[in-house]
Amino acid sequence: MAIEGPFWRAIAVFRAASLLYAAVLMAQHGGYEQPVLGWLVIGVMALWTAGATYAYSAEALRRWPLLALDLLVTMACLLASPYVEGAQQGVAGTMPVPATWVAGPVLAWAVHAGRRAGALAAAVVAAGDLWLRLRTDEVPILVNGAVLLFLSGVVVGHVAQLARRAEERMQRAAEREQRAAEMEAAQRERERLARDLHDSVLQVLALVQRRGRQIGGEAAELGRLAGEQEAALRDLVAAGPPPPRGTTDLRTLLTRYGSPYASPDGSPEVTVATPATPLVLPTETAQGAAAAVGAALDNVRAHCGAGARAWVLVESADGTVTVTVRDDGPGIPPGRLEAAAAAGRMGVTRSIRGRVSELGGTVTIMSTPGQGTEVEITLPA
């Protein structure tokens, strides 16, 4: 991740500064008892500092083999200290040859894998340092060094983990903003296309539909096909972003009952009016409501005769969705529904009332002979 880059650069600077500090100590002590071996160890540290700096800068190389090799090289330089320092190792205040350079792999493990890995690397280095300190009487220095190593591994590992999580959250937020911007741009383009289509293609199709019904014959079939294409285009340009999973926009189900429902065989023409904003309902509820509306329109087609018209009005308010199906047919005679139910014809009882009741809604049917029928379906939103 990009957030790790500053950590690795800081570790590289720490290694270089620690290398310089170890070289200064070596020079101050005249190379200890074995100066050739001592400067050889410093040379190995310098080569590994350069190699590790390059390797850790490449994300593809930051793997456990590199981390393990880093720890092994550091332990080898640390454990070479008794052979370089000889009797001077027992002098109070004398540090191992690598000095603070031994913290490099601890920091690398912590940045790569978190505080637990940093603590593990610190334990390995501290164990090597313990073996050296037990050869002298420097117990306070032993405790101080181990504590500092553990603190470095745990704190740096924890900070690195927090930084990675913060970067992941920022990346997810940026992706969400990008998707939102793309959806907004797509919606603006859809609205532009809808305006263009409405001013040209949709008006022509609507004219062909009306004229075809008026002329009749083969022209009526042409008008019906034009009406289907008009409705399909309206659905296409009106569709917005997809609703959440498990939900459906009720408008998309009800608009299918629009003008394509009319046919040259005398079926009623249906006008559907829906809100401009989505009516998102659980898919089962939306499908049940649409099926109930379809059953009501089937009754209009079956009982109102040729030339009848029907209107579907959808409203949403106060946590409810209300769908009203009204026709201009002859109406329902008093007692007709009760007689149909008694005779075993359960179209209204089961297909409309029963279905809506299962969804937690209610159905109100109002009809006046000679003035049409109105079916009002109310569902919880």
Side-chain angles (χ1 to χ4, degrees):
M1 292 186 178
I3 195 67
E4 292 183 0
F7 285 97
W8 295 115
R9 288 192 291 270
I11 293 175
V13 173
F14 172 81
R15 288 180 189 269
S18 297
L19 174 65
L20 179 61
Y21 178 55
V24 170
L25 290 179
M26 180 70 67
Q28 285 181 345
H29 291 83
Y32 298 106
E33 290 189 357
Q34 299 292 333
V36 175
L37 180 59
W39 286 109
L40 178 62
V41 172
I42 295 295
V44 172
M45 292 167 55
L47 290 175
W48 182 247
T49 297
T53 299
Y54 170 77
Y56 282 119
S57 66
E59 186 175 356
L61 298 178
R62 293 180 209 146
R63 298 292 184 269
W64 284 112
L66 174 62
L67 292 162
L69 182 60
D70 189 7
L71 188 59
L72 287 175
V73 171
T74 301
M75 291 299 296
C77 294
L78 175 65
L79 297 180
S81 297
Y83 306 100
V84 175
E85 296 174 348
Q88 295 187 40
Q89 185 186 13
V91 178
T94 302
M95 298 184 67
V97 172
T100 58
W101 191 80
V102 296
V106 176
L107 300 177
W109 280 51
V111 171
H112 180 76
R115 55 183 178 270
R116 290 186 178 87
L120 177 61
V124 173
V125 176
D129 190 54
L130 173 63
W131 180 79
L132 298 179
R133 300 298 184 183
L134 289 178
R135 300 163 63 93
T136 68
D137 296 328
E138 299 183 64
V139 176
I141 297 178
L142 162 66
V143 174
N144 292 338
V147 170
L148 289 175
L149 283 173
F150 273 103
L151 287 177
S152 300
V154 173
V155 173
V156 172
H158 183 65
V159 172
Q161 285 180 325
L162 291 179
R164 277 193 291 267
R165 292 171 186 169
E167 185 184 32
E168 291 173 357
R169 293 192 188 100
M170 291 177 62
Q171 184 175 359
R172 288 195 296 267
E175 291 174 354
R176 286 195 296 268
E177 291 179 359
Q178 182 178 1
R179 287 196 299 268
E182 292 174 352
M183 292 174 62
E184 183 179 358
Q187 186 63 23
R188 286 198 300 267
E189 179 64 14
R190 187 183 299 275
E191 292 173 356
R192 185 189 67 80
L193 291 174
R195 290 193 298 269
D196 294 344
L197 287 173
H198 181 270
D199 294 339
S200 56
V201 179
L202 292 177
Q203 290 187 356
V204 172
L205 291 175
L207 177 61
V208 172
Q209 181 188 16
R210 290 195 302 270
R211 294 294 294 165
R213 287 202 308 270
Q214 293 173 359
I215 296 173
E218 294 183 357
E221 176 65 14
L222 180 61
R224 185 183 68 83
L225 295 175
E228 291 180 355
Q229 296 306 311
E230 178 196 3
L233 280 175
R234 289 188 185 276
D235 288 343
L236 179 63
V237 299
R245 181 177 300 179
T247 64
T248 301
D249 187 352
L250 181 60
R251 301 178 307 167
T252 61
L253 301 180
L254 296 182
T255 51
R256 300 172 185 173
Y257 294 125
S259 54
Y261 198 84
S263 62
D265 62 359
S267 297
E269 180 179 349
V270 180
T271 301
V272 178
T274 63
T277 56
L279 290 174
V280 179
L281 297 174
T283 299
E284 181 180 359
T285 301
Q287 292 176 345
V293 171
L297 293 175
D298 287 339
N299 288 336
V300 175
R301 179 168 50 186
H303 302 293
C304 293
R309 293 175 57 85
W311 294 266
V312 178
L313 174 64
V314 188
E315 300 173 291
S316 177
D318 299 329
T320 61
V321 173
T322 302
V323 184
T324 303
V325 181
R326 184 170 61 86
D327 64 68
D328 60 357
I332 303 175
R336 177 69 177 272
L337 294 178
E338 291 77 6
R345 295 192 295 274
M346 309 298 290
V348 173
T349 302
R350 290 183 178 174
S351 298
I352 300 178
R353 292 187 187 276
R355 180 178 281 119
V356 173
S357 177
E358 290 177 356
L359 300 174
T362 59
V363 176
T364 302
I365 299 178
M366 295 170 286
S367 180
T368 302
Q371 298 182 16
T373 302
E374 182 175 297
V375 180
E376 184 178 273
I377 300 171
T378 303
L379 292 168

